Amino acid sequence: DQQVKQNSPSLSVQEGRISILNCDYTNSMFDYFLWYKKYPAEGPTFLISISSIKDKNEDGRFTVFLNKSAKHLSLHIVPSQPGDSAVYFCAAITTGTASKLTFGTGTRLQVTL
Amino acid sequence: GAGVSQSPSNKVTEKGKDVELRCDPISGHTALYWYRQRLGQGLEFLIYFQGNSAPDKSGLPSDRFSAERTGESVSTLTIQRTQQEDSAVYLCASSYRGLGAGEQYFGPGTRLTVT
């Protein structure tokens, strides 16, 4: 049972444009959400997070939006840069319990020149 | 400062053999996690250590998998009688605190191939 889903395995965006990566979840107990970025042969690196008490969190070029009623979150990258090309994983957690992350399957972002 | 390190970076083993994977977390991080990523899939939680508490083993796929952690330092993940479906990248992560927010720092992973 995939509790965190990233339905787009890949996305191609032109440099300078906006990249929008989507994530859906089914477990209503999740209350904290994270995005990780992964380059080949490296471990995932933390990018940005959002608590369920918020609907938006912004950090530079990266903004995460949370729609709790739809159980949906998205990561916006603007403007997209070639160095953003990587696999992006959405993850979710229920705070106050064993803090294992539940990950989506990832979306491969390719930013083209 | 030093990040999470894992060894070996690659391991090829024959079906039926035992393997041991090692993780050195960031110094001072009390929580340590093991995940694996099989081809085309997301990261799958395996086991979680927090300080001296009993580990959360709920993600271990079978009794062939076990893990140990010495205090708040090194951890080893052992897979006995490896099977081809064990082929995956095994990732270790550590964090300063276990319960609560989940900012976990990952190592580069060990790519295990069972032939």
Side-chain angles (χ1 to χ4, degrees):
Chain A
D1 175 33
Q2 191 72 26
Q3 296 186 62
V4 178
K5 300 178 185 178
Q6 293 177 256
N7 292 318
S8 298
S10 63
L11 175 67
S12 183
V13 172
Q14 206 168 22
E15 182 181 13
R17 301 287 183 104
I18 185 170
S19 296
I20 300 176
L21 296 99
N22 293 304
C23 177
D24 297 290
Y25 62 96
T26 57
N27 188 341
S28 56
M29 297 300 291
F30 289 143
D31 59 1
Y32 198 80
F33 304 89
L34 307 92
W35 284 93
Y36 280 81
K37 174 178 174 179
K38 185 180 186 300
Y39 292 117
E42 294 183 12
T45 54
F46 171 75
L47 195 56
I48 192 169
S49 62
I50 188 166
S51 165
S52 60
I53 62 173
K54 296 186 176 181
D55 54 20
K56 177 182 174 181
N57 187 28
E58 190 172 350
D59 183 3
R61 296 185 298 114
F62 302 91
T63 303
V64 56
F65 295 93
L66 175 63
N67 182 334
K68 280 195 300 182
S69 61
K71 293 192 177 69
H72 177 84
L73 63 155
S74 61
L75 174 68
H76 292 209
I77 307 173
V78 56
S80 301
Q81 299 174 353
D84 296 330
S85 297
V87 177
Y88 289 78
F89 291 97
C90 168
I93 196 169
T94 304
T95 57
T97 65
S99 54
K100 57 192 177 190
L101 291 166
T102 302
F103 282 87
T105 51
T107 297
R108 181 177 301 278
L109 173 65
Q110 180 72 38
V111 180
T112 58
L113 297 173
Chain B
V4 177
S5 61
Q6 292 184 247
S7 60
S9 55
N10 279 284
K11 176 73 177 178
V12 180
T13 190
E14 289 181 354
K15 178 181 171 181
K17 296 282 178 76
D18 297 351
V19 294
E20 233 181 49
L21 311 180
R22 177 186 168 111
C23 171
D24 284 87
I26 294 172
S27 177
H29 280 191
T30 59
L32 186 146
Y33 314 77
W34 283 97
Y35 296 87
R36 74 174 174 182
Q37 185 181 16
R38 290 189 281 188
L39 191 63
Q41 298 186 22
L43 280 76
E44 177 188 357
F45 167 78
L46 297 177
I47 189 169
Y48 158 62
F49 295 90
Q50 170 58 46
N52 294 318
S53 303
D56 176 356
K57 304 179 182 180
S58 60
L60 294 179
S62 77
D63 59 8
R64 296 186 295 103
F65 287 72
S66 63
E68 292 184 349
R69 186 180 187 194
T70 308
E72 292 184 352
S73 60
V74 170
S75 175
T76 55
L77 176 69
T78 302
I79 309 173
Q80 295 178 310
R81 304 181 304 282
T82 52
Q83 303 294 312
Q84 288 184 331
E85 63 262 28
D86 300 334
S87 296
V89 176
Y90 288 82
L91 289 154
C92 174
S94 70
S95 69
Y96 177 68
R97 49 198 172 137
L99 297 180
E103 186 173 330
Q104 299 175 15
Y105 295 84
F106 283 81
T110 293
R111 181 176 297 278
L112 175 65
T113 303
V114 182
T115 61

